[in-house]
Amino acid sequence: VDPRGDKHRPLVIEKDKRLKPATEDIRRLGWRPDWIFSSDSQRTKDTVLAIKSYNPDLPGNSHTVFSSTMYLPSLDALLTEIATLCETHKPNLPLLIGHNPSFSELVMYLTGEVVHLKKGAAALLEIDEKNWTDALYAKGSWTFCELFSAKSNF
């Protein structure tokens, strides 16, 4: 156990290798994120590296921000941080990587649907809004498109 706490716990190497099928879903969906906004925990950093290694041509590979605020925040803090990152970096299609319960709460807030993201899960959401701040505070107006998970690969 790392004496610095859970935030510094790395992704298990075997699981890292098993992320490949899950990251292929990004290609299957035709999803081309241009920015990656991630928690700064070691596991999420490892996940970002795996996504980049399995999808080397993603535009977001050269645009990544690791945020300490995205590590286990309240829903309000998470919304504020994402709004700030979007206002600062102006993404067209961001990929967000973080932790529960915050991310499950975020999906429920945005879509109005009860969703529990398990370890290694991802939710694809859409909204017809160009302003990210407006979009993030448009409670219940996002469309829940798909849920996919690397967990079945573990």
Side-chain angles (χ1 to χ4, degrees), residues 28-133:
R28 178 182 60 80
L29 295 169
W31 197 41
R32 309 276 305 148
D34 59 340
W35 276 89
I36 298 173
F37 301 141
S38 173
S39 156
D40 68 345
S41 79
Q42 189 58 53
R43 291 181 314 286
T44 55
K45 288 178 180 179
D46 293 345
T47 299
V48 168
L49 290 175
I51 290 169
K52 288 180 175 187
S53 69
Y54 295 131
N55 294 280
D57 60 337
L58 283 181
N61 285 355
S62 60
H63 301 100
T64 303
V65 175
F66 293 104
S67 165
S68 62
T69 304
M70 289 177 69
Y71 182 72
L72 304 177
S74 67
L75 177 59
D76 288 339
L78 182 58
L79 286 166
T80 300
E81 180 67 358
I82 295 168
T84 299
L85 290 168
C86 288
E87 182 61 32
T88 302
H89 300 290
K90 312 283 189 227
N92 289 312
L93 184 61
L95 169 61
L96 307 175
I97 301 175
H99 312 274
N100 273 324
S102 307
F103 272 65
S104 288
E105 291 172 3
L106 177 66
V107 172
M108 288 187 275
Y109 171 86
L110 294 173
T111 67
E113 295 191 34
V114 177
V115 175
H116 179 70
L117 299 173
K118 296 181 180 179
K119 291 180 182 178
L124 179 62
L125 310 178
E126 291 181 345
I127 190 168
D128 191 23
E129 172 64 59
K130 299 300 180 200
N131 180 295
W132 279 108
T133 301

Side-chain angles (χ1 to χ4, degrees), residues 22-23 25-26 28-29 31 117 120-124 146-150:
T23 62
D25 282 335
I26 292 172
R28 178 182 60 80
L29 295 169
W31 197 41
L117 299 173
L124 179 62
E146 188 165 351
L147 179 69
F148 55 98
S149 177

